[in-house]
Amino acid sequence: MEFKNILLSVDNEIGFLTINRPKVLNALNIETLKELQAAIQEVKGNPAVKVLIITGAGEKAFVAGADIQEMKEMNSIAALTFSKLGHDTMKMIQDLDRPVIAAVNGFALGGGSEIALACDFIYASENARFGLPEVTLGVFPGFGGTQRLPRLIGKGMAKELIMTGKMVSAQEAFQMGMVNRVLPQASLMEETKKVATQIAGNGPIGLRLAKMVVNSGFDIDLAEACSMESMAFSLCFTTEDQKEGMKAFAEKRKPSFQGR
Ligand code: CAA
């Protein structure tokens, strides 16, 4: 499918989804969110993609938030529809049956931070800036920031960012536990690709179930979550990949996983 505001490519089992509106720092308008959904759907239907990397076009921004020009004209019903579109998009990223890494290459503000938070983990360039500046616009985060950020870094730290609307550096975001690694801008994609390739070599069914169990288990009580883990773990033993992975270990060779 052709996109206007998104670039989508695949190289060596790694999918690259780039939000591409550099003139407005890759801000998310309705059209871009819809394209993002279509792109995720396309990745979902393409088994050649083992891991997806989401990034922003250019060297200045990952995504500078929802498109303020478009939002400023909205009434409350339009805002509800917009927020729902954003939430559905974030959920599609979160629920994609393969690992998704955010490679944050610059400003990740508002909806930009919210996209990164919907990914499985975040790598950032040294020049990246994170923040939820919505309160400075008279609103507050509407694409899941009030929910995913506290779950990742704790309520107090999240409320400080949400209530001040301040930006933090990649290093500060790392110290808060929001970002896994901070890398020089020039090596962000290379290093992210290396890790994506390492992940792509692992058993896809194990990866898929692990993601599901971590995500679903987080919001329920520990006993129930552990029992869900046992069920999903045992499911792996119905697969050829489990046989292959353990046989390869015994034979001291690299496994060749088929995803079945
Ligand atoms: N929406 C629309 N346009 C945006 C934008 C956004 N979120 N962010 C930047 N732009 C546009 C600017 O208007 C500017 O366009 P013009 O050249 O036509 O004037 C262009 O991108 C370049 O931006 P700046 O000139 O402002 O660049 P800068 O380097 O001076 O500042 C910045 C960079 C600090 C990121 C600043 O652009 C900024 O503060 N942007 C808005 C950030 C923001 O508030 N994001 C939250 C949006 S609300 C939201 O996301 C709600 C939600 O949860 C769903």
Side-chain angles (χ1 to χ4, degrees):
M1 182 173 162
E2 282 293 304
F3 300 108
K4 193 169 146 202
N5 306 312
I6 302 271
L7 303 171
L8 186 62
S9 62
V10 184
D11 181 28
N12 278 326
E13 305 192 312
I14 313 299
F16 297 87
L17 193 165
T18 305
I19 296 150
N20 185 30
R21 294 183 80 209
K23 282 196 183 126
V24 288
L25 307 185
N26 307 321
L28 301 170
N29 59 0
I30 293 170
E31 187 182 50
T32 306
L33 285 167
K34 287 185 176 166
E35 287 192 355
L36 203 41
Q37 290 198 357
I40 299 287
Q41 208 55 44
E42 197 169 313
V43 170
K44 210 171 166 184
N46 182 357
V49 179
K50 298 286 194 308
V51 177
L52 180 67
I53 298 175
I54 300 185
T55 194
E59 300 208 324
K60 190 167 170 183
F62 174 70
V63 167
D67 190 317
I68 300 167
Q69 286 300 338
E70 199 175 67
M71 252 187 325
K72 73 184 190 348
E73 306 302 335
M74 289 180 186
N75 62 19
S76 65
I77 297 301
L80 177 63
T81 306
F82 186 56
S83 174
K84 182 77 172 62
L85 176 67
H87 271 284
D88 290 348
T89 311
M90 303 309 140
K91 189 158 172 9
M92 283 177 75
I93 295 171
Q94 179 180 291
D95 291 348
L96 187 70
D97 56 4
R98 272 150 274 171
V100 186
I101 309 173
V104 174
N105 55 312
F107 289 112
L109 303 175
S113 274
E114 289 167 308
I115 289 186
L117 289 166
C119 296
D120 292 309
F121 55 87
I122 305 172
Y123 283 0
S125 57
E126 285 162 345
N127 63 311
R129 296 282 176 278
F130 292 82
L132 292 167
E134 287 89 342
V135 289
T136 69
L137 299 166
V139 295
F140 74 92
F143 290 172
T146 63
Q147 304 308 311
R148 288 195 180 89
L149 188 61
R151 280 168 170 75
L152 188 61
I153 67 172
K155 262 200 255 184
M157 288 293 213
K159 281 183 188 160
E160 187 181 340
L161 288 185
I162 291 164
M163 290 175 176
T164 58
K166 72 177 179 183
M167 276 189 234
V168 294
S169 66
Q171 197 54 42
E172 286 170 295
F174 171 74
Q175 276 154 3
M176 288 174 177
M178 187 175 176
V179 162
N180 283 21
R181 272 176 85 187
V182 181
L183 296 151
Q185 166 109 337
S187 54
L188 174 68
M189 280 317 284
E190 222 32 64
E191 287 300 316
T192 309
K193 255 194 273 181
K194 265 190 217 161
V195 172
T197 303
Q198 185 189 352
I199 294 173
N202 295 326
I205 297 171
L207 287 170
R208 180 176 175 177
L209 291 173
K211 176 170 175 168
M212 269 174 66
V213 168
V214 173
N215 283 349
S216 307
F218 207 80
D219 296 324
I220 59 178
D221 82 82
L222 184 62
E224 218 182 305
C226 287
S227 142
M228 184 172 66
E229 186 195 72
S230 290
M231 295 307 290
F233 175 76
S234 68
L235 198 60
C236 293
F237 288 71
T238 64
T239 68
E240 287 175 24
D241 282 356
Q242 174 265 331
K243 308 277 175 277
E244 166 62 11
M246 295 189 184
K247 193 163 175 271
F249 175 82
E251 292 170 1
K252 301 189 187 304
R253 62 171 172 83
K254 224 170 144 259
S256 167
F257 293 116
Q258 303 302 317
R260 51 177 192 258

